[in-house]
Amino acid sequence: MYASAARRAAVVLLAVATVSCGGPSPTAQSDTPTPPGVAPVIKPVVLAEIPHDATAWTQGLELNGESLYEGTGIIGKSQVRELDPATGAVRRAVPAPNDYYGEGITVVDDRIWELTWRDGVAIEWDKATLTPVREAPVDGEGWGLCRDGDRLVRSDGTDRLRFHDPVTFAETGSVNVTRDGQPLRSLNELECVDGQVWANVWHSNDIVRIDPATGRVTTVVDAAGLWPGQGDDREKVLNGIAHLGGDEYLLTGKYWPTMYRVRLDPPD
């Protein structure tokens, strides 16, 4: 993220003042040492709950300045939205062009890049007006997207992260992702933070932190039970990570009525 620390702090303080605390209690970490080569597993510590539009098939979530941007999916229903990060209220919502199936989003200065699932393009939006500016070709599927310094990182549902130029969207490289030495597939929504990549794992309760230099998963977040209403509905899956600052994040999912402000404590 590229918001100033002061503005982020203001958003976090506002969220504290305007939302109710709740959610599942944090689970104590195990005292058993993690074996060498195995990614440690942590639980999110819930700090607050914020309303979320339960009709949103969330594909991307990102805080930028004083706005929370969300990309939603489904053919004919996909939107790019600006939300109030403290209340979850939708400030603006515009449909994706050409009935594209929208996927992950990321902010790049005064633009927003949005992936499409199988339409073979990425859409560049003007952030101020939320209007499409142009389209760029994409080889393969689009799932999650985030900005890592001077490059973009894309997931495509496989065990590979792909790197793109933030101006042209040309692919510039890739890395295979492994967890405990095994390929990790179904990488979905992404969030780039301090040179690391957080990724939802589709149809699971896991969020993983990936070192993009090696592709190795260095931490796993077990978010099982974060939204109790999910039950056995595997479509209403965890999907949506927005970094607030420090170790605090917003997490949500597809058709979830709630966003959770959480703290992800580094593993011991």
Side-chain angles (χ1 to χ4, degrees), residues 62-260:
E62 183 166 316
L63 180 70
N64 182 258
E66 298 176 356
S67 296
L68 184 65
Y69 292 94
E70 181 178 36
T72 69
I74 305 298
I75 295 174
K77 297 182 179 180
S78 299
Q79 294 182 333
V80 170
R81 298 173 162 195
E82 180 190 6
L83 312 181
D84 183 323
T87 67
V90 179
R91 293 172 176 165
R92 295 184 291 169
V94 294
N98 303 318
D99 281 342
Y100 287 146
Y101 193 120
E103 285 280 349
I105 63 167
T106 196
V107 177
V108 180
D109 303 325
D110 62 349
R111 294 288 191 260
I112 299 172
W113 277 109
E114 179 191 24
L115 294 173
T116 59
W117 182 27
R118 293 176 172 173
D119 296 298
V121 298
I123 308 165
E124 187 181 39
W125 296 76
D126 180 273
K127 185 177 71 172
T129 62
L130 287 190
T131 55
V133 176
R134 64 186 172 109
E135 298 177 3
V138 175
D139 184 17
E141 294 185 3
W143 287 44
L145 189 67
C146 66
R147 181 183 181 181
D148 177 31
D150 59 359
R151 65 182 178 181
L152 305 181
V153 184
R154 170 172 68 102
S155 63
D156 59 7
T158 69
D159 61 344
R160 184 175 289 268
L161 293 179
R162 301 180 184 274
F163 308 129
H164 291 262
D165 183 279
V167 177
T168 66
F169 216 84
E171 190 169 332
T172 59
S174 64
V175 66
N176 289 326
V177 176
T178 60
R179 175 182 175 182
D180 306 339
Q182 299 299 314
L184 181 62
R185 300 177 177 85
S186 299
L187 301 173
N188 203 0
E189 214 270 304
L190 304 179
E191 182 79 344
C192 293
V193 182
D194 297 332
Q196 302 294 292
V197 180
W198 294 92
N200 283 116
V201 181
W202 174 239
H203 278 163
S204 84
N205 295 306
D206 290 343
I207 297 171
V208 296
R209 187 179 67 179
I210 304 162
D211 180 349
T214 64
R216 188 172 67 89
V217 171
T218 58
T219 304
V220 177
V221 179
D222 176 7
L226 185 63
W227 176 46
Q230 181 181 357
D232 295 327
D233 191 335
R234 296 181 72 240
E235 296 308 310
K236 294 181 178 180
V237 69
L238 180 74
N239 201 52
I241 315 165
H243 184 224
L244 297 177
D247 294 328
E248 293 190 12
Y249 296 78
L250 282 179
L251 304 180
T252 193
K254 298 176 182 294
Y255 296 154
W256 283 24
T258 307
M259 296 186 290
Y260 295 88

